[in-house]
Amino acid sequence: MAATQLSFSEIKERVNIEQVLPLVGLTLKRYQSQLRGVCPICKEGGDRAFVVTPAKGLYYCFGKCSTGGDMLSLVANVKQCSVREAAEFIAARTGITGKRSGDNSTAPGDGSPQPLSGKEGLKPLEYLQASHEAVQALGVRAETCEHFGAGFAPKGIMRGRLAIPIHDMAGTLVAYCGRAVKEETPLLILPNGFRPDTVIFSAHRLEQGDTICVTRDPLQVLKAYENGVTNVVSFLGDITADTLHILALLMDEKDVPSIDLF
Ligand SMILES: [Zn+2]
């Protein structure tokens, strides 16, 4: 079949991830700009843990997978086949063998970078390594790290960890947290005197009116972002009355209609 001659990028150009969902038996519900449902791969995390962002052609699972990708990796993971086989499957089922089926204007790969206001905040650490192998081993690309200003810390108090900048709601840099890159505990270290229950990680990046996904690990925010999900934040410590108060303020200020806690 001519279909097998198509390159991965040709397929992604001509088929929308939304068209692929029914081919693998997926029915998802629309929430604003996302489609959500039970993860067909791990089936964990609840009925909104699996998020497809059609405008970006990407999916992400907040459940056990904690990973995502494009339509090819979606089909490959659901059908447990190779990416090449997934491509052939999509091409055959959508009948793309030559004729262009139309529009499919693809949105830019990632959201607009958020300039930091920077006033009176901490100075960003210059020495973080966005493409360090320990960070790649966590499943985070260098571009994602750069977007968040994160990177492997070869020195300093976050030494040997993924240092991730934390901002207040105004976007001012207030601290760095050090996320474990291996099995070490604790998962997060924070500077002495910094109260993790006073900040919600990445809250300043939320758009007005977004539903939000709240996780308990800032790494999950980076990985979700990499896979098209931008309305996601994380707690940085135990959930306390103060944390919930901050969350309530956030919901009020950003006009958040609903939240999902993962
Ligand atoms: Zn999953």
Side-chain angles (χ1 to χ4, degrees):
M1 290 282 287
T4 58
Q5 312 288 357
L6 289 164
S7 71
F8 294 162
S9 59
E10 279 175 310
I11 289 171
K12 289 201 282 187
E13 210 173 283
R14 297 195 205 177
V15 182
N16 186 295
I17 193 167
E18 230 175 314
Q19 295 170 257
V20 170
L21 303 176
L23 306 181
V24 288
L26 271 175
T27 315
L28 304 177
K29 234 177 122 180
R30 189 172 292 279
Y31 293 88
Q32 298 181 319
S33 60
Q34 301 173 331
L35 301 168
R36 301 176 62 170
V38 176
C39 175
I41 302 154
C42 68
K43 302 184 173 63
E44 289 186 22
D47 61 5
R48 302 210 280 189
F50 185 79
V51 183
V52 171
T53 309
K56 294 179 181 167
L58 296 168
Y59 79 94
Y60 185 76
C61 166
F62 280 97
K64 198 176 169 193
C65 303
S66 288
T67 184
D70 60 15
M71 68 175 83
L72 296 169
S73 75
L74 171 62
V75 171
N77 280 317
V78 172
K79 293 177 63 67
Q80 304 214 311
C81 65
S82 69
V83 172
R84 168 49 64 194
E85 286 164 338
E88 287 168 7
F89 173 85
I90 294 170
R93 297 299 173 97
T94 53
I96 50 162
T97 51
K99 212 165 54 169
R100 208 159 259 271
S101 63
D103 61 323
N104 243 338
S105 49
T106 35
D110 40 17
S112 49
Q114 300 281 329
L116 305 177
S117 66
K119 54 166 174 103
E120 310 171 61
L122 275 184
K123 243 181 118 223
L125 298 177
E126 303 285 341
Y127 54 77
L128 300 181
Q129 299 168 358
S131 53
H132 192 278
E133 58 182 7
V135 178
Q136 296 194 341
L138 290 173
V140 182
R141 285 199 295 265
E143 309 86 81
T144 304
C145 276
E146 278 156 14
H147 176 79
F148 284 88
F152 182 80
K155 60 179 185 181
I157 57 170
M158 304 303 168
R159 182 183 172 158
R161 286 172 169 255
L162 173 62
I164 305 173
I166 302 166
H167 303 86
D168 64 15
M169 281 289 283
T172 303
L173 178 61
V174 292
Y176 276 82
C177 69
R179 196 335 182 140
V181 293
K182 291 173 292 209
E183 297 292 296
E184 71 262 48
T185 52
L187 188 71
L188 290 181
I189 55 173
L190 293 153
N192 280 336
F194 178 78
R195 291 204 25 217
D197 57 357
T198 58
V199 174
I200 293 177
F201 174 66
S202 212
H204 68 291
R205 294 187 179 90
L206 293 174
E207 304 273 345
Q208 287 286 333
D210 266 347
T211 62
I212 56 173
C213 305
V214 185
T215 72
R216 293 152 192 257
D217 180 355
L219 179 65
Q220 183 96 292
V221 177
L222 272 63
K223 290 168 82 170
Y225 169 82
E226 188 163 303
N227 292 293
V229 185
T230 53
N231 57 331
V232 49
V233 297
S234 91
F235 293 133
L236 293 167
D238 293 336
I239 299 172
T240 64
D242 283 339
T243 322
L244 294 177
H245 181 64
I246 295 280
L247 183 62
L249 288 177
L250 172 67
M251 291 182 70
D252 197 39
E253 185 171 329
K254 296 279 188 170
D255 199 17
V256 173
S258 73
I259 63 164
D260 285 299
L261 182 61
F262 296 107

